[in-house]
Amino acid sequence: MAEQQTVRKAAHVKVGRRIKIINTHGEVVDTGAFNAEDIAEYMAMDTTRAYNQRMSPLVGDDLVTNKHRPILKLVEDTSPGRLRPLALSPAWSRGRSRQLRRQSDLGPDRTRSQ
């Protein structure tokens, strides 16, 4: 399988505006958000999981910062099936991507038996 090109984009989005992230490759889309007035405040998935009391966000859930403040809201999800809690992963890498692809071939629920 050929390696896909990594595309990096950044945009300044004003409060109340929407952005649409489209996954055209079927792989994970790694997304982040920062407070433009304080870049030490950033979207934190560990805080988001605690805030929403679930592993993966659902439509209508807020994505919150390391300072426990909403920064994004998931307003639509057209991905096929339920998302796995990939946010538990460390920073994304090619090695981690290969590991997750192998795990996704384990069965219909895509989880490894413990």
Side-chain angles (χ1 to χ4, degrees):
M1 177 186 291
E3 289 288 327
Q4 293 184 3
Q5 181 181 4
T6 299
V7 178
R8 293 181 175 95
K9 300 279 182 176
H12 183 265
V13 181
K14 293 181 181 180
V15 173
R17 301 293 301 190
R18 291 184 178 199
I19 60 169
K20 187 172 199 172
I21 300 168
I22 301 171
N23 182 348
T24 59
H25 298 294
E27 295 284 328
V28 169
V29 175
D30 197 4
T31 304
F34 296 85
N35 177 345
E37 295 178 11
D38 176 10
I39 62 170
E41 182 177 14
Y42 53 87
M43 185 173 74
M45 291 310 296
D46 57 340
T47 309
T48 296
R49 286 191 297 274
Y51 183 90
N52 292 312
Q53 298 183 346
R54 65 176 120 258
M55 296 301 289
S56 296
L58 299 175
V59 171
D61 282 352
D62 289 319
L63 306 177
V64 300
T65 69
N66 56 319
K67 295 183 179 182
H68 302 269
R69 296 191 296 202
I71 192 164
L72 296 176
K73 180 181 283 290
L74 184 60
V75 296
E76 182 181 9
D77 181 3
T78 59
S79 63
R82 178 100 166 92
L83 297 175
R84 291 180 53 211
L86 296 174
L88 290 173
S89 305
W92 204 251
S93 68
R94 285 190 181 130
R96 182 68 177 141
S97 180
R98 282 191 292 274
Q99 178 186 19
L100 289 171
R101 274 198 295 273
R102 284 193 305 271
Q103 289 175 354
S104 71
D105 294 331
L106 294 173
D109 67 347
R110 299 177 183 241
T111 58
R112 188 179 298 264
S113 299
Q114 297 295 324

